[in-house]
Structures are given as structure tokens and as C-alpha cells.
Amino acid sequence: MNSATKPWIKSEQKLGFRAANLSFLFGGLGVVCGIIQAGAAARLLASLLHVQRGGISASLAGLVFALAVLARAGLQLRNERGNFELGAAARRRLRGQVLSALLALGPAGLRGRHSAELAASAVDRVEAMDGFHARWVPATGMAIIGPGLIGLVALLLDWRSGLILIIAGLFVPFAMAVAGIGAGIAAKKQFLAMTRLQVRFMDRIRGISTIVLAGRGEDEARALAGAARELRERTMRVLRVAFLSSTALDLAAAAALILIVVRFAPALHGAHELAPTALFLVLLVPEFFAPLRGFAAVYGDRMAVEAVAEELSTLPDAPAPVPPVDIRSVAAQGVTLAFEHVSYGWDPARPVVEDLSFKVGRGEMLLLTGASGTGKSTIIDLILGFLAPQGGRITINGAVLEDLVPAARTRMLGWIGQKPVIFAGTIEENIRFANPAASEDELKDAIRNAHLEELVAALPQGVRTPLGEGGFGVSGGQAQRIAIARAFLKDAPLLLLDEPTSHLDPAVERDILESLKHLAAGRTVVLATHSTQALDLAKTIGAKRVDLDALRYASWRGAQA
């Protein structure tokens, strides 16, 4: 186990044991009912086999047995439901932590990580923790409470038999620990195989048209089959190692039963005063090992945690809430954005943005121009808060960007990128995503301002027409208009446009720019583009311009000098 994951696993164990107090209580009561049940059954069997001298009647023993069975069944049912809730609560907590961490990282922090890998973290790895909290934690507590209570009763009745049970019980966790080392390694490899299969499958589904047109369908099908076969083999190895602990438990239980039967063999032949006690101790053997058997059955869940902890424990913590006294916001009337000697680079030796300063106020547009790789999208990411400046500072109405309340910063920012995200759902749902509480009139105004009325009127269900994932069912220009309508509905005072027309034909681009011109009125706008039509539009409204090519050239000349 990685030393970095140990504190995380210990923390989860503490939370799990603290939440499972009621489960341990009801489980302990169930063990007591099991002891009473075994005692009543021993008395009943002694009466039926005529090996009892005196004692309670068979009818009374049968009544106690029946009551103990009913009480135990009720306690087990309650425990099953309670344990399920423990797992569900842990999953909700962990999934919230994972999603908060992914949101805290933002698009920039998640670069280089495949979406299938992220989905596996939020779904599969969190689901793997369900067994840990819903089964392993309760079973661990009962593996101590159950044998402890039963071993104490056995010691009080016959110390030799009690000692036999305790020694046999101690052998079980030792054997399971030995098997668990291999199970942990196998479980980790299984999760890696599962992630590889998910990544490959999602990539191939996304590129299905390219695969078919290239005639590589059969090759990719064979590759997917190989990945699936590897996952199956890894899963079977986990099960094979896990069965070793079950075998050790069965051997220990059989040995304890044989030794106790041999010890009381004379008492079980004919009428003898020790016969009920002997039968009771024999019946306690399966009761003693039942909690240990339950623990062995879920021991793989503990090993699975070690396989997933490395990834879950390395996710960053969600940002702490800002104390009310430190909350900073900006004035509601207009926004002034300023860069003050800002620098940022993925490689410190080669900054993408270096000592950049500009200021753009309400109703003004700033034009960012330059070839690909000069830092246009990086500047947009810095304003969005996805990246933090490595030098200098960014201010909005004089307030440093990092000091603003995240929710307030989000409300004042509107963004339209090169390829707008269109969710699977209706056109209305996609537009309302920016402002779910918007009225019908506000929705209609946004549709009209984005020039979407013609498209909506041509569809059979209007704004309630469903769209496929990624905007399947609309063209690139129509998807961009939906994004513009979304921005109109949000009505943010600061608008960021990152190459909004880069993939459109000239006629559609002209219409989109006209809508964007209307959207930009009265707002602070930062437009990153190399489009000729966009440059012409910016000139007509007197936009400021930052030529990143010229800045980079000047920086290079300064370095040469």
C-alpha cells in the first residue's frame, strides 16, 4: 500500500466505524439471540435424544427457540437496511468530494486526463467504496463482537472448549491477512484493466465514423475484445485469491468442531448430565465462526479500497468556503477588467503570457489577436479563473480576481467558445441552463436576440425539440446561436468570446457576428479571434486591440538585445 494512501484509508475507517455504532449494537443483540437460540436448541435436542436429566421441558425450549429465531431475524433485517444506508451515505459523501475536486481543478487542471478516466473516478471507484462502508466496516466490528461474546460464554461453560474456539478463531485473520496481500495487488490490476477498457471504448465510440471509413472496424473490435478478456482474467484472479481466506476459515471451523466433539464424545452417548452442555458448545461452533465467515466474504471489499485509494486520495480538496468578513464583490453597474503585469507559462522557461497589461471598461471591447499558440485561450482561462497568474494580478473593478466570491464571479462572467457545449435535452433546457429561473418572456427575448426564431419555428416541437449528446441534430452555426441565446439569458456584464466563429462558413459567420454585436452592447467584452470578419466588426465599434504576435516579437527582441 502506498504510504500516501494510508492516512486516507484510516480516515475512511474512522468515519465508517463512527457511523456504524448502531449496526454494532443491533449485531451484538443478534449474537445474544443466537446464543439463546443455540441453548434452546441444545435443550430441545437433548430431550428428543433422551440424553437429558432434568432441566426445562421440550415445549418451553421450543418456545424460547422460536422467539429467539424471530428476534434474530428482525435484528438482521434492520441491520441489512441500516448497512445499506451506511454505504449510500458514504457514496454520496465521496461522490460529492470527487465532483467538488474536479470542479476545483477546472478544465485547465484536468488537461491530459481522459474523460473516461474521470468518469471512472466519479462512478466506479466511488461505487467500489460502497462495499467498504456497507459491508466491510460492519463485518469487521461483528468479527470482534460476535466471537468475543460466544468465546466468553464457551469459557464460562468449559474453559478447554472456549480455548479451542479462541485459538481456531485467531488463525482465521492471520490466514486472511496472508491472502489479502495477493488480493490487494490483484484488485489494483483489475481496476487498471477496467480503466483501460473504459478509455478505449469511449475513444472508439467517439471516433466510430473514422474507424468505419478507414476500414478498421474488425481490428478495433478485436482490440476491444482483448481488453475485455484482460479485465475478465484480472477479475477471476481477484476471486481466486479471495477464495483462499474462505478455505482457511472452513479448515479452522472443522478443526474446532472435531476437537470439541472428541472432548465430549462420552457425554453424548446415553443419559449424561453434560449432554446439554456438550450439545450447546457444539452448536456454538457455527455461531462462533458465522461473523468470521461474514468478514471473510467481504474481505475483498477492503482490498478493493487499496486499489482505488491512490487515485481518490490524490484529488485536491474542495476550496474552503470564504469567511463572510473576507467576501469581496464588485459593483453591479458595469465591469472594468484589468491585467497588471500578468505572466503565465506551462513551462516557466517559456512563458505563454509575459508582463501583459491592459484595461477594458464597461461598453468596451478588447480584441486579442495573434497566431495559434500565442496565448489567446490562456488569457481567457486566466479571466475565467481556471488558471492563476504566476506573476502580476487580474482585477475586476479594482478587486483582485482570486479574492472574489466564486459564485459572484461566475454570475458576472459569460463565455462562448469555439465549440459550445450542447447537452442531451431540449433546446429550451440548453438555453435555460444559464438561468433556470428565467421567465417565458425572457426566454423568448433570448431566442429572438440570438436569431433562433426561424430554427425554432421549423422544428416540430419548437423549443421542446430534443437534441442528442454534443448537439446532435443541429449544425455548428445553430449550436453557436443556442450558446448566444444562453449568454443573452444569463445577462452577464463581462463577456468572453474565444474564437466564436472559427469553424463557420463566411455567411453563417456574418450572421453570428451580428448577433454577437447585439449581445456585446453595454457589456465589457474580450474577443479572442483571428477572423477577418471579426476584426472588421471590432473596428466598427472602436475596439481596443492587443496583438500577441507583436508583444511576443518585442519580448524576443528585448531578450536578444
Side-chain angles (χ1 to χ4, degrees):
M1 181 173 24
N2 192 326
S3 59
T5 65
K6 288 181 180 179
W8 187 85
I9 294 177
K10 288 182 179 179
S11 174
E12 286 297 313
Q13 286 178 348
K14 289 180 180 178
L15 290 173
F17 282 111
R18 194 179 302 128
N21 285 332
L22 277 178
S23 177
F24 298 150
L25 173 62
F26 287 108
L29 292 175
V31 171
V32 172
C33 289
I35 294 172
I36 295 172
Q37 178 184 335
R43 289 290 179 180
L44 186 60
L45 285 172
S47 297
L48 295 175
L49 297 174
H50 304 292
V51 293
Q52 179 182 7
R53 292 179 178 177
I56 64 174
S57 63
S59 57
L60 181 57
L63 177 61
V64 172
F65 178 82
L67 291 175
V69 169
L70 291 175
R72 192 178 188 185
L75 290 168
Q76 286 178 339
L77 178 61
R78 189 271 161 208
N79 245 13
E80 288 292 331
R81 291 178 176 175
N83 292 344
F84 174 82
E85 288 300 325
L86 290 177
R91 279 178 293 158
R92 284 193 295 269
R93 172 177 55 82
L94 288 168
R95 189 163 286 122
Q97 291 177 357
V98 171
L99 293 177
S100 296
L102 295 181
L103 291 174
L105 284 171
L110 296 175
R111 285 177 182 172
R113 300 190 65 179
H114 199 281
S115 54
E117 181 185 352
L118 299 176
S121 296
V123 179
D124 295 325
R125 283 164 173 74
V126 172
E127 286 297 321
M129 293 297 296
D130 174 69
F132 179 80
H133 287 279
R135 295 186 292 274
W136 186 82
V137 168
T140 301
M142 291 312 302
I144 299 172
I145 296 171
L149 289 174
I150 296 171
L152 179 61
V153 171
L155 284 171
L156 293 175
L157 288 175
D158 180 65
W159 69 269
R160 293 182 180 83
S161 299
L163 194 60
I164 290 171
L165 286 177
I166 291 171
I167 292 173
L170 291 175
F171 170 76
V172 175
F174 172 77
M176 290 172 63
V178 174
I181 296 173
I185 297 172
K188 187 173 183 178
K189 291 180 178 179
Q190 184 216 16
F191 272 104
L192 289 175
M194 183 185 298
T195 301
R196 282 197 293 267
L197 176 61
Q198 288 173 321
V199 170
R200 175 177 285 274
F201 183 75
M202 187 171 287
D203 265 346
R204 272 46 181 183
I205 289 296
R206 286 175 174 171
I208 191 69
S209 57
T210 303
I211 292 171
V212 172
L213 292 174
R216 296 294 304 275
E218 292 185 4
D219 294 338
E220 290 300 328
R222 283 194 293 270
L224 281 172
R229 184 168 54 253
E230 181 191 3
L231 176 60
R232 184 178 67 249
E233 291 172 355
R234 299 288 187 191
T235 303
M236 294 309 296
R237 287 174 189 171
V238 173
L239 295 175
R240 186 163 59 243
V241 175
F243 281 137
L244 293 176
S245 60
S246 178
T247 302
L249 189 145
D250 290 336
L251 290 174
L257 182 62
I258 291 171
L259 289 174
I260 292 176
V261 169
V262 169
R263 166 163 169 69
F264 287 102
L268 295 174
H269 290 80
H272 197 284
E273 60 181 8
L274 289 179
T277 301
L279 287 170
F280 182 35
L281 289 170
V282 168
L283 292 175
L284 282 182
V285 173
E287 293 291 341
F288 180 88
F289 285 96
L292 295 174
R293 193 177 300 279
F295 178 66
V298 299
Y299 193 62
D301 292 320
R302 173 63 176 79
M303 296 299 102
V305 170
E306 293 185 7
V308 304
E310 186 172 348
E311 182 165 350
L312 293 182
S313 62
T314 55
L315 289 173
D317 295 330
V322 182
V325 294
D326 294 332
I327 287 182
R328 299 198 64 187
S329 189
V330 296
Q333 62 275 12
V335 166
T336 297
L337 172 70
F339 270 46
E340 301 175 9
H341 306 288
V342 173
S343 298
Y344 184 85
W346 303 102
D347 181 355
R350 300 178 60 187
V352 179
V353 177
E354 186 174 11
D355 197 30
L356 177 63
S357 297
F358 62 77
K359 186 175 183 180
V360 54
R362 179 187 181 187
E364 295 180 341
M365 176 182 287
L366 178 73
L367 197 63
L368 297 174
T369 60
S372 296
T374 54
K376 298 190 298 295
S377 295
T378 300
I379 293 172
I380 298 293
D381 284 345
L382 285 165
I383 300 171
L384 289 170
F386 296 153
L387 302 175
Q390 294 169 346
R393 65 176 194 162
I394 303 170
T395 64
I396 295 181
N397 284 10
V400 179
L401 190 65
E402 287 83 355
D403 292 345
L404 296 176
V405 182
R409 184 177 62 196
T410 302
R411 282 195 300 271
M412 79 174 91
L413 284 171
W415 173 79
I416 299 176
Q418 301 177 31
K419 295 181 179 180
V421 176
I422 304 298
F423 300 100
T426 65
I427 293 177
E428 179 181 2
E429 289 170 344
N430 272 278
I431 297 174
R432 282 187 180 276
F433 190 80
N435 185 6
S439 66
E440 286 294 327
D441 290 339
E442 290 173 328
L443 177 66
K444 291 177 182 178
D445 288 342
I447 291 173
R448 183 179 66 256
N449 290 329
H451 298 170
L452 264 175
E453 290 175 306
E454 184 178 346
L455 169 65
V456 171
L459 295 173
Q461 300 180 50
V463 293
R464 291 179 174 79
T465 300
L467 302 177
E469 183 181 357
F472 184 79
V474 294
S475 66
Q478 291 168 341
Q480 203 68 289
R481 290 191 187 282
I482 291 174
I484 293 172
R486 191 185 288 165
F488 268 112
L489 199 63
K490 185 174 183 180
D491 196 24
L494 176 57
L495 183 62
L496 308 177
L497 307 174
D498 187 7
E499 302 280 8
T501 60
S502 60
H503 300 289
L504 304 177
D505 61 69
V508 175
E509 181 183 14
R510 194 179 306 111
D511 291 340
I512 294 296
L513 287 173
E514 193 62 34
S515 297
L516 289 175
K517 181 180 179 180
H518 186 190
L519 176 62
R523 292 180 169 85
T524 304
V525 181
V526 177
L527 170 61
T529 186
H530 59 262
S531 163
T532 303
Q533 291 195 49
L535 293 175
D536 292 340
L537 170 67
K539 289 178 182 177
T540 62
I541 59 178
K544 299 178 180 180
R545 181 175 178 179
V546 173
D547 189 341
L548 298 175
D549 281 328
L551 290 175
R552 177 165 292 190
Y553 178 72
S555 175
W556 179 80
R557 288 294 300 269
Q560 292 295 313

